[in-house]
Amino acid sequence: MRHALFLSLLPLAACGQVEPLQPAVGTRAPVAPAQSARAPTTEEMLTPPTVARPVRQEDTLRRSEEREDDPFDLPPR
């Protein structure tokens, strides 16, 4: 049973190749987007836009201020 599991997972170990991505043989890279001067490179397509990684805001208060009373901040029952 162990050997069968090992042999079934062995091909997965080989699929982590480290080399630049290239289009498959006989196919072309994606065409340039509308109103773009050139097609994006592989690195540009793999880099997430800034919208996908928003900046984290820790707290909306910038200075040491008293917080307003919160009518929904009730003690537990």
Side-chain angles (χ1 to χ4, degrees), residues 17-72:
Q17 298 176 6
V18 181
E19 58 186 54
L21 296 176
Q22 298 292 329
V25 176
T27 61
R28 295 177 32 193
V31 297
Q35 300 179 353
S36 178
R38 62 177 179 78
T41 64
T42 306
E43 286 300 317
E44 290 172 341
M45 287 190 281
L46 291 175
T47 305
T50 328
V51 176
R53 292 178 291 148
V55 177
R56 181 178 176 182
Q57 293 181 343
E58 294 293 328
D59 196 1
T60 56
L61 295 177
R62 298 287 181 217
R63 292 177 263 128
S64 179
E65 300 174 349
E66 288 273 339
R67 291 184 183 256
E68 295 178 16
D69 285 338
D70 184 4
F72 299 101

Side-chain angles (χ1 to χ4, degrees), residues 5-16:
L5 180 63
F6 177 75
L7 290 175
S8 66
L9 294 177
L10 185 62
L12 287 177
C15 65

